Amino acid sequence: MSQFLHLLAILLTPFIIHGVVSSSIIFESLNSIPTGYTDNGPAPVDSVLSLRVALVQNNVAGLHDALYAVSDPSSNLYGQHLSSLEVEAFVAPTLDTVAAVAAWLLINNVSAKPATPSGDWLSLSITVGAANTLLATIFHTYTQTSTGETYIRTLNYSLPSELQNHVELVHPTVSFTGATNPNGLISPFITSRSIPRSATIRAECAEYITPACLQALYAIPTTLATQPSNQIAVSGFDGRYANLADLHASPSNTLHHRSKPNFNVYQLFLTTLRPDLNSSTTFTLQSVDGGINPQNASLASGEANFDTQYTVGLASGVPTTFIAVGLNSTDIIMEFLDIITYLVAMDQPPQVLTTSYGFNEFVLSPALATNLCNAYAQLGARGVSILFGSGDGGVAGLSNSTCTNFVPTFPSSCPFVTSVGATTGTNPEAATTYSSGGFSNIFTMPSYQSAAVTKYLDTIGSLNTGKFNATSRAFPDISAQGTNVGFAIDGAASLFSGTSCSTPIFSSVIALLNDRLRAVDRPPLGFLNPFLYANPSVFNDITHGSNLGCGSTGFPVEVGWDPVTGLGTPNFTAFLNVLGLSA
Ligand SMILES: *[C@@H]1O[C@H](CO)[C@@H](O)[C@H](O)[C@H]1NC(C)=O
Ligand SMILES: *[C@@H]1O[C@H](CO)[C@@H](O)[C@H](O)[C@H]1NC(C)=O
Ligand SMILES: *[C@@H]1O[C@H](CO)[C@@H](O)[C@H](O)[C@H]1NC(C)=O
Ligand SMILES: *[C@@H]1O[C@H](CO)[C@@H](O)[C@H](O)[C@H]1NC(C)=O
Ligand SMILES: *[C@@H]1O[C@H](CO)[C@@H](O)[C@H](O)[C@H]1NC(C)=O
Ligand SMILES: *[C@@H]1O[C@H](CO)[C@@H](O)[C@H](O)[C@H]1NC(C)=O
Ligand SMILES: *[C@@H]1O[C@H](CO)[C@@H](O)[C@H](O)[C@H]1NC(C)=O
Ligand SMILES: *[C@@H]1O[C@H](CO)[C@@H](O)[C@H](O)[C@H]1NC(C)=O
């Protein structure tokens, strides 16, 4: 980490230099305020902004090549994942870049500090008045009408032309990615239900899904993993807390309300739905940016509870970590960046990361989406499988909303993550109408999926032409059960639905496979997609259903890959066979 960081520290010491104005160019711009926001006029000049500046990385193409070299099963380097220093070397800015940016900040009397080990992001605290000058713009306050949440953003900003090849972007500016509320996050739906403790598997699976149903459907082993160095991590964002009492405690067959005061007498998830596991099995907590996980029952989040219950409770015996990311940066999209930066820098990052949160792709500027996508490439190169839910609004994006053209979601639209859609039912297992899927408007189609996607496009012919970019990255890649999945929250048994369910379920399957690989001294699966598209036989192909949205019937499910269920749902036995592992 290097000379760059060291040099930055020296160069960024604040000096007072009176400014020189050079010609400036518009860096990023929007034509109009995004739908759903109103403009409240110029932001108060004394408000303080936490700005992040992304510097141009020295060798992004090299990073992509290195990622594919270790992730493509046909490559000699397959499985030879990179160290944090090797990864950081691709994204560190050059000395020229560091010098140019440092000079610009000095001239403007602004001090900044590196926000990543490689120094490719800087963070700085600045008043709106100073930021208006620095970026030749006028920041406004916008209100998101649906939530009342306010954002300080701008429709365009400029930097001196000398920085064109040195700065990627400044955030928050033109990306309306939200602050603390769950705006733009996948919003799963919860139904309160009682879950009988000892229903027979076949009977219960027709009505709702439990760990036992998933084990039966996907041949997931019930036996304990054996490798303590093989781990799975769950992303937890500010305000979404995972409750331990809901994970452990028991025998409640009845419905309780969130406010029920004596919830502690009930014992929930593990005892009810994994009676064969040690009911003390738990997850550990890791904190990024000061993130916390308070154990106040009324603060338990459906998402965080589900994600921890279906990793601890399905990836039997795999050490599970809940990574709580605090909000001490600019907004939630920087939480998305900070958790990845943190994991890239670890000596031994967890081999699987499951995240059931996302955005509509259009709220991110292409530069910001591209930068984050390259952060996923860095973590993939380290050997981590990164899974994201595809969204719950069918072709309308994260949630059911008005649209004409289809709305892709991010991070699913990034070619370096594995996107998970949702299925329902067992006879047959079919797509859910809300399973988001489609085509990016930012990222081009990666070669690993071009044959599968081209076959699909040939099958549907001219259906929905003009509503999506047929040459772009297509998602989801895979799917798993996502409707009426039993879990526990605030002392009550409930059912959870959404691609939020499918993501930790599939992630747990990958964690158990990594355990088997580790046991025979083989590397973890890492970035999954090249392997998955090369081995469609590891899936139960889903051939029924379609997703809906934007007043259309969306995309139909077809034989092979489709933009609703991807390649299909997992068959653990078939995975073992393809990997040459014994059962
Ligand atoms: C430079 O910044 C410092 C601290 O932020 C401030 O006290 C000082 O007045 C600034 N100088 C100029 C010339 O803007
Ligand atoms: C930049 O945004 C402002 C509104 O904040 C607008 O008046 C101006 O025309 C925009 N400039 C460009 C080049 O888009
Ligand atoms: C269950 O786990 C707890 C905590 O790790 C441990 O103390 C206890 O011995 C375990 N019980 C059994 C039966 O393995
Ligand atoms: C965020 O929080 C962490 C831990 O509390 C702290 O070390 C770090 O400096 C903070 N970062 C910013 C940008 O405030
Ligand atoms: C739990 O959270 C609720 C809502 O924030 C609050 O009213 C209550 O005081 C908290 N209880 C404890 C024990 O912290
Ligand atoms: C396709 O992507 C481009 C940007 O790459 C975008 O301008 C266009 O609107 C997209 N088309 C549709 C139908 O969304
Ligand atoms: C979307 O919402 C509309 C209006 O509430 C409803 O009629 C439609 O069924 C919903 N579509 C989906 C896919 O949920
Ligand atoms: C899962 O894969 C195994 C091995 O290829 C196969 O025998 C079995 O039929 C598959 N299960 C399902 C449900 O397709």
Side-chain angles (χ1 to χ4, degrees):
M1 313 180 293
S2 79
Q3 52 182 327
F4 298 120
L5 184 53
H6 186 63
L7 191 78
L8 263 179
I10 296 167
L11 289 176
L12 298 185
T13 309
F15 275 86
I16 299 168
I17 296 181
H18 286 283
V20 187
V21 179
S22 53
S23 72
S24 67
I25 49 168
I26 295 202
F27 248 65
E28 294 190 281
S29 65
L30 294 176
N31 295 328
S32 58
I33 306 170
T35 314
Y37 297 83
T38 54
D39 183 351
N40 306 330
V45 291
D46 54 357
S47 291
V48 176
L49 283 176
S50 269
L51 280 190
R52 295 275 186 105
V53 180
L55 277 55
V56 170
Q57 300 163 328
N58 82 80
N59 189 4
V60 172
L63 171 67
H64 295 172
D65 289 348
L67 172 67
Y68 283 119
V70 299
S71 312
D72 179 345
S74 67
S75 148
N76 311 335
L77 295 175
Y78 183 63
Q80 297 183 34
H81 301 120
L82 279 63
S83 69
S84 56
L85 289 179
E86 287 168 332
V87 166
E88 284 158 16
F90 286 116
V91 297
T94 63
L95 284 170
D96 277 359
T97 289
V98 172
V101 173
W104 168 62
L105 293 172
L106 292 176
I107 287 167
N108 285 281
N109 189 28
V110 170
S111 78
K113 59 181 189 193
T116 57
S118 66
D120 62 339
W121 278 89
L122 304 179
S123 68
L124 55 110
S125 196
I126 190 171
T127 61
V128 165
N132 284 342
T133 307
L134 186 70
L135 303 177
T137 187
I138 298 179
F139 277 91
H140 281 217
T141 305
Y142 297 91
T143 302
Q144 185 176 41
T145 39
S146 60
T147 60
E149 186 176 89
T150 59
Y151 298 63
I152 294 179
R153 293 291 188 279
T154 174
L155 298 188
N156 56 59
Y157 65 96
S158 301
L159 295 181
S161 53
E162 297 80 60
L163 292 180
Q164 184 156 24
N165 298 321
H166 299 302
V167 173
E168 292 276 3
L169 71 119
V170 179
H171 180 81
T173 52
V174 298
S175 292
F176 283 60
T177 45
T180 56
N181 284 334
N183 304 326
L185 296 176
I186 293 173
S187 19
F189 19 111
I190 303 180
T191 324
S192 288
R193 275 296 302 269
S194 69
I195 296 177
R197 200 147 53 110
S198 53
T200 65
I201 291 175
R202 298 314 318 170
E204 84 192 23
C205 301
E207 224 189 319
Y208 50 80
I209 296 295
T210 61
C213 299
L214 296 166
Q215 288 163 339
L217 262 176
Y218 301 150
I220 301 172
T222 57
T223 48
L224 291 179
T226 59
Q227 304 297 309
S229 64
N230 174 56
Q231 299 178 36
I232 183 168
V234 174
S235 298
F237 293 107
D238 190 56
R240 293 163 190 85
Y241 308 127
N243 191 275
L244 287 160
D246 287 331
L247 175 67
H248 296 140
S250 202
S252 160
N253 291 356
T254 50
L255 179 67
H256 307 294
H257 294 288
R258 279 179 75 81
S259 56
K260 193 161 178 99
N262 57 343
F263 82 95
N264 275 327
V265 304
Y266 300 104
Q267 310 285 304
L268 281 179
F269 185 78
L270 286 178
T271 329
T272 307
L273 295 175
R274 277 309 301 274
D276 57 319
L277 275 191
N278 182 338
S279 64
S280 302
T281 313
T282 193
F283 57 85
T284 55
L285 176 67
Q286 252 163 1
S287 169
V288 174
D289 286 350
I292 54 172
N293 190 36
Q295 293 301 302
N296 180 335
S298 66
L299 295 179
S301 134
E303 184 64 70
N305 269 23
F306 187 93
D307 296 348
T308 46
Q309 289 168 20
Y310 274 81
T311 42
V312 172
L314 194 59
S316 311
V318 176
T320 302
T321 303
F322 181 70
I323 306 180
V325 193
L327 187 75
N328 72 347
S329 47
T330 37
D331 70 356
I332 194 153
I333 197 74
M334 290 295 114
E335 293 183 41
F336 271 56
L337 178 68
D338 288 355
I339 184 174
I340 301 304
T341 302
Y342 170 81
L343 292 170
V344 168
M346 284 178 82
D347 277 344
Q348 313 269 328
Q351 293 83 348
V352 177
L353 177 66
T354 178
T355 310
S356 292
Y357 302 92
F359 303 86
N360 284 326
E361 189 189 60
F362 68 76
V363 304
L364 282 83
S365 71
L368 181 57
T370 301
N371 184 289
L372 269 160
C373 186
N374 288 329
Y376 299 124
Q378 294 170 52
L379 190 56
R382 298 271 352 253
V384 180
S385 302
I386 308 168
L387 295 91
F388 279 94
S390 69
D392 297 343
V395 292
L398 276 192
S399 58
N400 184 0
S401 55
T402 324
C403 39
T404 307
N405 288 339
F406 295 169
V407 180
T409 65
F410 182 86
S412 280
S413 68
C414 165
F416 308 128
V417 307
T418 301
S419 170
V420 191
T423 61
T424 185
T426 56
N427 187 27
E429 182 173 14
T432 65
T433 55
Y434 62 76
S435 183
S436 292
F439 294 76
S440 175
N441 289 324
I442 296 175
F443 299 100
T444 57
M445 191 183 295
S447 62
Y448 62 72
Q449 68 173 187
S450 62
V453 177
T454 303
K455 174 171 175 286
Y456 178 81
L457 291 170
D458 288 348
T459 308
I460 63 165
S462 61
L463 183 70
N464 299 322
T465 297
K467 295 187 172 179
F468 68 97
N469 271 310
T471 56
S472 300
R473 148 75 170 154
F475 69 97
D477 301 296
I478 55 179
S479 52
Q481 288 283 330
T483 300
N484 290 340
V485 189
F487 84 123
I489 181 158
D490 200 4
S494 287
L495 301 178
F496 204 60
S497 295
T499 56
S500 282
C501 297
S502 317
T503 311
I505 290 170
F506 208 115
S507 298
S508 292
V509 169
I510 300 300
L512 289 169
L513 289 165
N514 282 339
D515 176 71
R516 302 295 181 95
L517 288 165
R518 177 86 212 113
V520 293
D521 263 330
R522 285 171 55 185
L525 291 169
F527 170 47
L528 296 169
N529 297 2
F531 169 81
L532 299 179
Y533 283 86
N535 291 287
S537 70
V538 301
F539 295 98
N540 309 308
D541 188 10
I542 306 301
T543 56
H544 293 77
S546 67
N547 52 8
L548 303 177
C550 304
S552 80
T553 54
F555 289 112
V557 172
E558 298 287 350
V559 170
W561 180 89
D562 53 70
V564 193
T565 63
L567 295 160
T569 61
N571 175 339
F572 195 88
T573 314
F575 263 104
L576 290 181
N577 288 347
V578 161
L579 291 167
L581 294 165
S582 52

